Amino acid sequence: MRSLPEADPGVPDIRSPLRYLWWNARRQAVPLLAGIGYASLWWLVQALMPTVLGKGIDAVTAKDTRALLVWSAILFGLGLVQAFTGIMRHRSAVYNWLAAAYRTVQLTSRQAARLGATLPKRLTTGEVVSVGNSDIAHIGSSMDILLRGVGSILAIVTVTVILISTSLPLGLLVLFGVPLMAVAVGPLLRPLHRRQQAQRELAGELSTRAADIVAGLRVLRGIGGEQVFAARYRTESQRVRRAGVGVAGVESVLEGAQIVLPGLLIAIVTGVGASFAVAGDIPTGQLVAFYLYAVFLIGPMRTLTEAADKLTKGHVAAGRVIRILSLEPEITGGTGLGEGGVLRDSYSGVTLQPGTLTAVAADVPGDAIAIADRLGRYTEGDVTFGAVELRTLPLEQVRSRILVADNGARLFNGRLRDELDVRGTATDAQLREALEAACATDIVEALPDGLDAQVAEAGREFSGGQQQRLRLARALVTDPEVLILVEPTSAVDAHSEARIAERLAKARSGRTTMVCTTSPLVLDRAEHVIYVQHGRVLAEGTHRQLLDGCPEYTATVTRGED
C-alpha cells in the first residue's frame, strides 16, 4: 500500500459539509475510483453466482455431465475473482478511509497553526479535540462506504435485469421493492442527523470541562473544590449519556429496518418464485437461483442503509471541520520589509531601545500584558519596528524576530532536549547556558536521563516553578531579536528570582529584551524601567530613580509597604 498523500498547502475555501466531502473525494479520485471498480466487480461476481449455481443444478437434473463440469469451472473462476476483488476492495477501502481521515487532520492542524491565538478565542478545546477523536473516523467512513455503496447499486441493477429476463413479475417486484425500502428508511435520517449533532456538541462541551478540571486539579484540591466540580462533570456527562441513548434509539430502529425490510422482500420474492416452480413455469435450478438472489439482496440493501447512516454521520462531522476551516485569523501580516530597530507601542508610549533590557511595571498587570500582545502582534495596535509599521511585515517574520513568552506557554510530551530546542539548532553548550541563566540546571540534573528524559503531557511531573524556569530556558535558547517576557519569575522563590534577574541581564546583553513584572528584584536589574498607569506611560528611568521620584510606582512595586 502506498503512503498517504499530503494535504494541499493552505486551507481550502469550502463553506458547506457536502462540499467538503466532495472536495475530499476529488483529492483522492484515483484510489477512490479504483476502489469503486474493485467493489463493483466484487458485487457483480457475487450477483452472477446464483445464476451459475442454478444452471449447475439444472445440469444435475438433466444428467448432463459436460454441462455440469462447465458450470462448475465457471463457478470456481468466479470464486477466484471474488477473492481477489474482495481483497483489493478492502485494501482500497482502508486506504481511502485513512486518506480522508488524515487529510482532515492535516488540514485542521494547519488551520490551527494559521489561526494561532485566534483559535482558543473562537472555539473550545473540546470542539477541536473531538475532530481528532471521532469526526475523522466518520469522515473516513463516508469515503469508505462510497466503494461498497456504488457497487451495491450495480449489484441490485444486475440482479433486477437477470430476474426480469427470467421472470418479468419477479424482476418488477425487485425493481419496485428496493426503492420503496429506501423511501421507508428516509424518515429516520433527519432525526438521526439532528440527535447526532446535539450529542456531538454536548460531548465537545464535556471534553472542555474535563480538560479544565485536569488542568486545575491542583488548585481544586487546594481549595477543596473537587467534589463540586466532580458533581458538575457528573451532571454534564449524564446529559451526554442521555443524548447518546437518543442517538442509539434511532440507530437501533435503522439497524432493525436493515433486517426487517430486506427480509420482507426476500419472503415475497421466494414465495412468488416457489409458486411459479410449483406451476411448472420455471425449472428447479431457477427456483434455487431466485432464492439465492433473494438472500443475496440482503447484502447490497443493507449496504445502502449503512451508506445513508455513515454519510449522515460524515455530514455532521464535516460540519464541525468546516466550522474550524471557516475561521479567519484576527491578525494578518503584510508583505513589507524591515531591518528592525526601536520597537514602539504608540498607544501606551512604551519604547524598547535596541540592545537594552527594559522592564515594564503596570498598576494593573493586564495593561502590561496588553502592551506585550501589541508589541508581539497578537492583537492589533499602532506599533512601529524601526522605520516601518509592524502590521506591514509578514506574520512569519514577526514571529521569528519577536518572541512573547508568557506563563500560558505549555510543555509538550517528548524529550526535554526537544522541548527546550524547538528549532533543533542549539548545541549542548547553548542549552547549558540557557538552563544556567534560568536557574534550571538543578531540574535537569535531577532527571535520570538529563536532557534526554521524557517530558509527560503538559510537563505535569514538574512543579509550577520548575515549569516556569524551563519555559524561560526555552525562550532563551530560541534567542530572538526581541524577547518579551511576561512575569517570568512569578512562581519561583526570592533567591531563585534574584539569581534569574542577574543572569538574565547577562544572557541577553546587547539584545532587546522587555520584562513585564512588578518584582523589585527584577526591576533593580533592568537597564531601563517604564511605569504604566491606566495603560499609558507615566514615568521612566531606573528602578531607584522611580522609587525616589514616582510615588505611584513605589506603591505598585512595594505593594503599599514601606
Side-chain angles (χ1 to χ4, degrees), residues 325-340:
L325 297 183
S326 62
L327 295 178
E328 291 295 332
E330 295 177 339
I331 303 298
T332 57
T335 58
L337 298 175
E339 297 181 358

PDB file of all heavy atoms in Angstrom, residues 325-340:
ATOM      1  N   LEU A 325     -12.393  25.336   9.681  1.00  0.00           N
ATOM      2  CA  LEU A 325     -11.750  25.816   8.466  1.00  0.00           C
ATOM      3  C   LEU A 325     -12.276  27.176   8.022  1.00  0.00           C
ATOM      4  O   LEU A 325     -11.587  27.896   7.292  1.00  0.00           O
ATOM      5  CB  LEU A 325     -11.941  24.802   7.335  1.00  0.00           C
ATOM      6  CG  LEU A 325     -11.324  23.420   7.532  1.00  0.00           C
ATOM      7  CD1 LEU A 325     -11.551  22.562   6.302  1.00  0.00           C
ATOM      8  CD2 LEU A 325      -9.844  23.512   7.849  1.00  0.00           C
ATOM      9  N   SER A 326     -13.486  27.532   8.449  1.00  0.00           N
ATOM     10  CA  SER A 326     -14.067  28.805   8.018  1.00  0.00           C
ATOM     11  C   SER A 326     -13.592  29.989   8.844  1.00  0.00           C
ATOM     12  O   SER A 326     -13.868  31.140   8.484  1.00  0.00           O
ATOM     13  CB  SER A 326     -15.600  28.724   8.076  1.00  0.00           C
ATOM     14  OG  SER A 326     -16.030  28.490   9.405  1.00  0.00           O
ATOM     15  N   LEU A 327     -12.886  29.713   9.948  1.00  0.00           N
ATOM     16  CA  LEU A 327     -12.393  30.811  10.777  1.00  0.00           C
ATOM     17  C   LEU A 327     -11.231  31.522  10.087  1.00  0.00           C
ATOM     18  O   LEU A 327     -10.438  30.897   9.385  1.00  0.00           O
ATOM     19  CB  LEU A 327     -11.929  30.279  12.142  1.00  0.00           C
ATOM     20  CG  LEU A 327     -13.003  29.674  13.048  1.00  0.00           C
ATOM     21  CD1 LEU A 327     -12.366  29.146  14.320  1.00  0.00           C
ATOM     22  CD2 LEU A 327     -14.074  30.700  13.382  1.00  0.00           C
ATOM     23  N   GLU A 328     -11.153  32.808  10.303  1.00  0.00           N
ATOM     24  CA  GLU A 328     -10.063  33.609   9.767  1.00  0.00           C
ATOM     25  C   GLU A 328      -9.259  34.202  10.914  1.00  0.00           C
ATOM     26  O   GLU A 328      -9.825  34.582  11.942  1.00  0.00           O
ATOM     27  CB  GLU A 328     -10.594  34.745   8.881  1.00  0.00           C
ATOM     28  CG  GLU A 328     -11.219  34.276   7.573  1.00  0.00           C
ATOM     29  CD  GLU A 328     -10.187  33.618   6.659  1.00  0.00           C
ATOM     30  OE1 GLU A 328      -8.996  33.977   6.748  1.00  0.00           O
ATOM     31  OE2 GLU A 328     -10.586  32.753   5.847  1.00  0.00           O
ATOM     32  N   PRO A 329      -7.928  34.276  10.774  1.00  0.00           N
ATOM     33  CA  PRO A 329      -7.116  34.850  11.853  1.00  0.00           C
ATOM     34  C   PRO A 329      -7.485  36.312  12.106  1.00  0.00           C
ATOM     35  O   PRO A 329      -7.777  37.067  11.182  1.00  0.00           O
ATOM     36  CB  PRO A 329      -5.675  34.738  11.312  1.00  0.00           C
ATOM     37  CG  PRO A 329      -5.743  33.724  10.217  1.00  0.00           C
ATOM     38  CD  PRO A 329      -7.117  33.821   9.640  1.00  0.00           C
ATOM     39  N   GLU A 330      -7.509  36.683  13.379  1.00  0.00           N
ATOM     40  CA  GLU A 330      -7.758  38.075  13.717  1.00  0.00           C
ATOM     41  C   GLU A 330      -6.594  38.962  13.275  1.00  0.00           C
ATOM     42  O   GLU A 330      -6.786  40.127  12.951  1.00  0.00           O
ATOM     43  CB  GLU A 330      -7.960  38.219  15.228  1.00  0.00           C
ATOM     44  CG  GLU A 330      -9.197  37.521  15.752  1.00  0.00           C
ATOM     45  CD  GLU A 330      -9.316  37.622  17.251  1.00  0.00           C
ATOM     46  OE1 GLU A 330      -8.282  37.874  17.922  1.00  0.00           O
ATOM     47  OE2 GLU A 330     -10.427  37.459  17.768  1.00  0.00           O
ATOM     48  N   ILE A 331      -5.401  38.400  13.294  1.00  0.00           N
ATOM     49  CA  ILE A 331      -4.196  39.150  12.956  1.00  0.00           C
ATOM     50  C   ILE A 331      -3.605  38.599  11.668  1.00  0.00           C
ATOM     51  O   ILE A 331      -3.406  37.391  11.532  1.00  0.00           O
ATOM     52  CB  ILE A 331      -3.152  39.073  14.088  1.00  0.00           C
ATOM     53  CG1 ILE A 331      -3.753  39.584  15.397  1.00  0.00           C
ATOM     54  CG2 ILE A 331      -1.912  39.851  13.729  1.00  0.00           C
ATOM     55  CD1 ILE A 331      -4.185  41.030  15.349  1.00  0.00           C
ATOM     56  N   THR A 332      -3.339  39.467  10.724  1.00  0.00           N
ATOM     57  CA  THR A 332      -2.691  39.070   9.477  1.00  0.00           C
ATOM     58  C   THR A 332      -1.460  39.947   9.248  1.00  0.00           C
ATOM     59  O   THR A 332      -1.322  41.011   9.866  1.00  0.00           O
ATOM     60  CB  THR A 332      -3.653  39.217   8.288  1.00  0.00           C
ATOM     61  OG1 THR A 332      -4.131  40.567   8.225  1.00  0.00           O
ATOM     62  CG2 THR A 332      -4.844  38.272   8.430  1.00  0.00           C
ATOM     63  N   GLY A 333      -0.592  39.498   8.384  1.00  0.00           N
ATOM     64  CA  GLY A 333       0.629  40.241   8.096  1.00  0.00           C
ATOM     65  C   GLY A 333       0.589  40.878   6.727  1.00  0.00           C
ATOM     66  O   GLY A 333      -0.345  40.690   5.945  1.00  0.00           O
ATOM     67  N   GLY A 334       1.639  41.653   6.443  1.00  0.00           N
ATOM     68  CA  GLY A 334       1.757  42.298   5.151  1.00  0.00           C
ATOM     69  C   GLY A 334       2.870  41.667   4.336  1.00  0.00           C
ATOM     70  O   GLY A 334       3.256  40.518   4.567  1.00  0.00           O
ATOM     71  N   THR A 335       3.396  42.438   3.433  1.00  0.00           N
ATOM     72  CA  THR A 335       4.470  41.942   2.561  1.00  0.00           C
ATOM     73  C   THR A 335       5.678  42.877   2.588  1.00  0.00           C
ATOM     74  O   THR A 335       6.542  42.789   1.722  1.00  0.00           O
ATOM     75  CB  THR A 335       3.960  41.820   1.112  1.00  0.00           C
ATOM     76  OG1 THR A 335       3.482  43.096   0.658  1.00  0.00           O
ATOM     77  CG2 THR A 335       2.835  40.800   1.017  1.00  0.00           C
ATOM     78  N   GLY A 336       5.722  43.744   3.580  1.00  0.00           N
ATOM     79  CA  GLY A 336       6.796  44.723   3.652  1.00  0.00           C
ATOM     80  C   GLY A 336       8.104  44.129   4.147  1.00  0.00           C
ATOM     81  O   GLY A 336       8.188  42.953   4.526  1.00  0.00           O
ATOM     82  N   LEU A 337       9.130  44.967   4.167  1.00  0.00           N
ATOM     83  CA  LEU A 337      10.449  44.578   4.641  1.00  0.00           C
ATOM     84  C   LEU A 337      10.859  45.530   5.758  1.00  0.00           C
ATOM     85  O   LEU A 337      10.526  46.713   5.738  1.00  0.00           O
ATOM     86  CB  LEU A 337      11.478  44.637   3.500  1.00  0.00           C
ATOM     87  CG  LEU A 337      11.235  43.702   2.318  1.00  0.00           C
ATOM     88  CD1 LEU A 337      12.274  43.975   1.228  1.00  0.00           C
ATOM     89  CD2 LEU A 337      11.296  42.248   2.764  1.00  0.00           C
ATOM     90  N   GLY A 338      11.568  45.005   6.738  1.00  0.00           N
ATOM     91  CA  GLY A 338      12.023  45.838   7.845  1.00  0.00           C
ATOM     92  C   GLY A 338      13.353  45.342   8.374  1.00  0.00           C
ATOM     93  O   GLY A 338      13.602  44.129   8.407  1.00  0.00           O
ATOM     94  N   GLU A 339      14.201  46.267   8.766  1.00  0.00           N
ATOM     95  CA  GLU A 339      15.518  45.903   9.293  1.00  0.00           C
ATOM     96  C   GLU A 339      15.568  45.957  10.812  1.00  0.00           C
ATOM     97  O   GLU A 339      16.628  45.778  11.396  1.00  0.00           O
ATOM     98  CB  GLU A 339      16.577  46.836   8.694  1.00  0.00           C
ATOM     99  CG  GLU A 339      16.707  46.719   7.175  1.00  0.00           C
ATOM    100  CD  GLU A 339      17.786  47.631   6.623  1.00  0.00           C
ATOM    101  OE1 GLU A 339      18.387  48.372   7.423  1.00  0.00           O
ATOM    102  OE2 GLU A 339      18.021  47.588   5.404  1.00  0.00           O
ATOM    103  N   GLY A 340      14.456  46.225  11.460  1.00  0.00           N
ATOM    104  CA  GLY A 340      14.440  46.266  12.905  1.00  0.00           C
ATOM    105  C   GLY A 340      14.839  47.624  13.437  1.00  0.00           C
ATOM    106  O   GLY A 340      14.935  48.612  12.712  1.00  0.00           O
TER     107      GLY A 340
END
